[in-house]
Amino acid sequence: MPTPNTLGNSGIFPVSDSVIAAASARLRGGGIVAVPTETVYGLAADASNAQAVAAIYRTKGRPDFNPLIVHVADRAAAAKLALLDDRANALADAFWPGPLTLVLPLVTGARVAAAVTAGLPTIALRCPAHPAMRQLLDSCGLNLAAPSANRSGGISPTRASHVARSLGEAAPMILDGGPCSAGLESTIIALRLDGWQMLRHGPVTAVDAEAVLGQPPMPVTSARIEAPGQLASHYAPSKPLRLNALNAAADEWFIGFGDIVGDDSLSLKGDLAQAAARLFDALHIADATDRARIAVAPIPQTGIGLAIHDRLNRAASG
Ligand code: TXA
Ligand code: MG
C-alpha cells in the first residue's frame, strides 16, 4: 500500500495544480476520485483497471447491469476504444468537448475493463468540457470511467458538497471545481446501423442532434435496460415529490419557476438553462429541509425543459 498523504485522503479539495497532480497519482495507482464536469460530478477511475472499476460500483452501490460512461481527452483517445463513423465525427465536431455521450461499437482489443461495458458490444464515450476535468485527463493520461458521484438511485451531485453528503463515509478524494454549469447529466445518443436513438435527454437536445444528423431519432424500443435513466425510479429524493404544482400545502417545500416563486426557485426569470443548472441543487436543498414533502411548479416542455421533465418524472416515481 502506498503511504497516504494529505491530498490522497478523502475530503474536498479546491482544484489547483498540486491537487490535480495528487488526483492523477491516485487514479494511476488504481484509486477513485470524485471529479467536476460541466454536467454533474463523476466518480472516476482508470477505465482499463478492473479493480478500480469495481471500486466505483461498490462505492455507488450500483447494480452491475448498468454500464459506465468513459471520459476521453480527445477524439484520438475515443478512436482507440470505439468505431467513429461520419455521423459520430459530425456529432463530435458539433458538441465535443461538451455534454454529449455517444454509444458506439466497441473496437476489438479496446483497453477497457469488462465491467465498464457490462458485456455490451458498444461503449459510451464522452469528451468533457470542464477545465479541471480536462486538465486531469491530460495529466493522468488515462481514459476515466465515471458515473455520477451519488449513491445509486439518489439525486445527482452538482456541487462538491453534494458528493460528500450522498456518499458519506464512502466518499473518496473530491475535487471541487465549483457548481456544474449545465447541471443535468449528458445527453446519450446511440448510433445504430439504421439510424440513431436518444437514450437519455440532456443538455444537447434531440433538435440539436437532428440538425447535425439530418434525420429524426428512431424510437427506443429495446426491453433491455441500457441506461438507468430508463429505470422508472432514479434521481430520487427521500421524500414524496409532486409535479406541476400551482401552490403548496403547509408540509410541502415548494420549488418555483418563473412567476411562481415558492420557497426556492429554479429560475425567477423563467430561464430553462438556469433551471437545469439549479435542478439537482434545489432537490438536495428540499431533501434537507424539515418539510415532509416536495412540490415543484410547472416547467415548459421545450428545449432542455424536456430533460428537466424527464429527471423530475423519475424523481417523482421514487
Ligand atoms: O453527464 C454525465 O454523463 C455524467 C458525468 C459524470 O459525465 N455521468 C453519468 O454517468 O451520468 P451514469 O453512470 O450516471 O450514467 C451512464 C449512462 C447510464 O444510463 C448507462 O446505462 C449508459 O450511460 N450507458 C453506458 N454505456 C452504455 C452502452 N454501451 N449502451 C447504452 N447505454 C450505456
Ligand atoms: Mg447517475
Side-chain angles (χ1 to χ4, degrees):
M1 284 285 287
T3 316
N5 60 37
T6 356
L7 291 177
N9 289 327
S10 57
I12 296 181
F13 299 90
V15 170
S16 68
D17 288 351
S18 63
V19 164
I20 294 278
S24 202
R26 207 175 166 88
L27 290 165
R28 295 186 62 83
I32 57 178
V33 175
V35 296
T37 84
E38 69 278 25
T39 58
V40 299
Y41 275 73
L43 201 53
D46 175 359
S48 68
N49 181 328
Q51 285 184 355
V53 171
I56 295 180
Y57 280 92
R58 226 176 19 249
T59 304
K60 276 187 71 88
R62 159 172 264 195
D64 62 7
F65 55 78
N66 285 337
L68 303 177
I69 293 173
V70 176
H71 299 70
V72 294
D74 51 34
R75 197 90 59 95
K80 288 187 183 151
L81 300 174
L83 288 170
L84 278 77
D85 63 9
D86 290 349
R87 300 170 302 169
N89 281 312
L91 287 171
D93 282 342
F95 304 113
W96 279 5
L100 174 68
T101 295
L102 294 175
V103 171
L104 301 169
L106 185 64
V107 298
T108 20
R111 290 194 62 239
V112 59
V116 167
T117 52
L120 294 169
T122 51
I123 185 166
L125 297 179
R126 176 160 110 77
C127 178
H130 193 291
M133 182 61 167
R134 298 193 61 71
Q135 195 185 342
L136 183 65
L137 283 164
D138 285 342
S139 145
C140 71
L142 302 167
N143 300 313
L144 296 176
S148 52
N150 53 279
R151 291 279 308 167
S152 188
I155 307 169
S156 299
T158 54
R159 293 174 182 269
S161 59
H162 297 161
V163 179
R165 177 170 160 229
S166 183
L167 296 179
E169 299 221 314
M173 175 187 197
I174 302 169
L175 299 194
D176 188 351
C180 302
S181 59
L184 293 181
E185 297 83 352
S186 61
T187 302
I188 304 182
I189 287 179
L191 294 176
R192 312 294 190 194
L193 285 177
D194 45 352
W196 63 282
Q197 291 173 315
M198 192 87 172
L199 296 187
R200 181 170 72 187
H201 289 278
V204 173
T205 66
V207 174
D208 297 334
E210 188 174 334
V212 172
L213 294 171
Q215 62 178 112
M218 304 189 297
V220 180
T221 50
S222 166
R224 186 179 50 181
I225 291 173
E226 284 191 318
Q230 294 170 13
L231 292 176
S233 166
H234 200 66
Y235 317 105
S238 61
K239 301 173 181 177
L241 181 74
R242 186 166 66 88
L243 305 181
N244 298 313
L246 298 177
N247 42 50
D251 67 341
E252 284 179 324
W253 177 260
F254 194 17
I255 300 175
F257 177 80
D259 291 342
I260 301 182
V261 176
D263 297 299
D264 186 6
S265 174
L266 293 179
S267 171
L268 283 169
K269 58 183 184 206
D271 179 87
L272 285 172
Q274 185 180 31
R278 275 231 61 227
L279 178 68
F280 289 134
D281 190 38
L283 290 176
H284 278 278
I285 291 169
D287 222 14
T289 68
D290 55 9
R291 310 266 175 93
R293 300 183 294 144
I294 307 167
V296 185
I299 313 287
Q301 302 209 35
T302 56
I304 199 173
L306 288 170
I308 297 175
H309 269 267
D310 173 72
R311 302 307 189 276
L312 281 173
N313 283 324
R314 291 174 206 286
S317 56

